[in-house]
Amino acid sequence: MSGEEDATVREPLDLIRLSLDERIYVKLRSDRELRGKLHAFDQHLNMILGDVEEVITTVEIDDETYEEIVRTTKRTIQFLFVRGDGVILVSPPLRTA
Amino acid sequence: MLFFSYFKDLVGQEVTVELKNDLAIRGTLHSVDQYLNIKLENTRVVDQDKYPHMLSVRNCFIRGSVVRYVQLPPDGVDVDLLHDAARREARGG
Amino acid sequence: MSGTGEKVTGTTKTPTDFLKSIRGKPVVVKLNSGVDYRGILTCLDGYMNIAMEQTEEYVNGQLKNKYGDAFIRGNNVLYISTVKRTLADGA
């Protein structure tokens, strides 16, 4: 347990640990997505992100044509605490792609 | 414990708490507990037109489990301190 | 898909044995929301948190996203299934 920055992924949370101070993508419940720099996290996936961009996707049905209208709303937040229970997926920056 | 400690240090500062029902409340952080339940003072609802029934609410207790986000004051975030705390937390489990 | 002859690992006894045996294998992870993730399972933990590589996200059977690495929070997981590699997964 002495290695300062052990780069191996032995358990899933290692993937998050290795993303500290990097920009990550977070997929949340209720069709929300975040992109921001990971400053802190815990085992619940509570997180503090910096320079966050939030994208909310909504689908409306057109009254007349019944077509689906997909809308995205964007906003930016400087520092954000995110409660872990809303997290679905976390993806580190594309280092393997 | 990381975020409990973090929020304890943030007591007295202005934050905006966004709930899972989309209600956003701004106020002064009065206290926090281990479940990240939050007490706010001098509160005002961000979108008052949409939630007029909240106009007279001046302080409130928020159950931690209904919180989606907390918008933090920029000067209340010591990035290096958080990184160290997060690494320690990851090691301790 | 018959009950016998899991060739890869021999006899699988418990769910835990199964989970241990599928590391490094191509899997499909289905979430409660119905969304599927296909990729190579890196590892998982007791909460069913999952780390995957070369992950593809399928919504209603359609490819919606790709992630180099992905962490999936265990509470969202409905099941984890092993798959034979298809052409779509690449070699």
Side-chain angles (χ1 to χ4, degrees), chain C residues 1-86:
Chain C
M1 282 299 150
S2 63
T4 58
E6 179 68 73
K7 268 191 189 155
V8 187
T9 54
T11 322
T12 300
K13 285 177 187 157
T14 66
T16 314
D17 291 334
F18 170 74
L19 292 177
K20 279 184 192 161
S21 74
I22 58 173
R23 286 186 194 197
K25 299 226 156 57
V27 293
V28 178
V29 176
K30 196 176 200 67
L31 304 191
N32 289 318
S33 62
V35 178
D36 280 345
Y37 292 93
R38 288 172 169 265
I40 312 296
L41 188 103
T42 311
C43 57
L44 33 71
D45 66 16
Y47 300 105
M48 280 227 203
N49 292 324
I50 295 171
M52 290 172 78
E53 294 170 10
Q54 304 168 37
T55 307
E56 297 174 333
E57 177 180 77
Y58 289 86
V59 181
N60 299 321
Q62 285 187 312
L63 179 61
K64 280 284 149 73
N65 257 315
K66 290 187 182 188
Y67 309 102
D69 284 307
F71 173 101
I72 297 172
R73 197 175 190 267
N75 66 309
N76 301 293
V77 175
L78 184 64
Y79 66 66
I80 307 168
S81 156
T82 53
V83 284
K84 290 220 176 74
R85 280 253 197 168
T86 63

Side-chain angles (χ1 to χ4, degrees), chain B residues 37-79:
Chain B
N37 297 321
I38 288 173
K39 272 179 93 172
L40 290 184
E41 288 183 336
N42 309 311
T43 57
R44 62 195 172 283
V45 167
V46 173
D47 189 350
Q48 297 198 331
D49 298 338
K50 199 173 161 192
Y51 304 96
H53 56 288
M54 294 286 290
L55 267 176
S56 58
V57 176
R58 282 293 160 265
N59 48 69
C60 62
F61 172 94
I62 300 168
R63 187 177 154 99
S65 61
V66 304
V67 172
R68 179 184 288 134
Y69 302 138
V70 181
Q71 295 181 32
L72 307 165
D75 54 356
V77 181
D78 184 331
V79 167

Side-chain angles (χ1 to χ4, degrees), chain A residues 34-83:
Chain A
L34 303 174
R35 284 179 181 78
K37 198 172 185 185
L38 180 66
H39 290 307
F41 74 96
D42 66 11
Q43 65 274 33
H44 306 289
L45 272 295
N46 295 323
M47 293 181 275
I48 288 177
L49 299 178
D51 291 322
V52 188
E53 182 187 67
E54 185 199 40
V55 178
I56 308 173
T57 306
T58 52
V59 179
E60 294 170 28
I61 308 290
D62 188 290
D63 287 338
E64 283 156 21
T65 65
Y66 297 103
E67 277 179 289
E68 286 191 350
I69 305 163
V70 179
R71 284 206 175 79
T72 56
T73 318
K74 286 188 190 180
R75 60 170 175 159
T76 57
I77 304 130
Q78 200 170 4
F79 280 109
L80 189 67
F81 166 82
V82 181
R83 195 172 160 94

Side-chain angles (χ1 to χ4, degrees), chain A residues 40-46 48 81, chain B residues 1-9 32-36 82 85-86 88-90 92-93:
Chain A
F41 74 96
D42 66 11
Q43 65 274 33
H44 306 289
L45 272 295
N46 295 323
I48 288 177
F81 166 82
Chain B
M1 290 307 269
L2 195 171
F3 292 101
F4 175 37
S5 309
Y6 173 77
F7 279 113
K8 272 197 292 189
D9 288 344
V32 62
D33 68 13
Q34 56 166 326
Y35 304 106
L36 306 187
L82 280 174
R88 248 178 285 126
E89 186 96 349

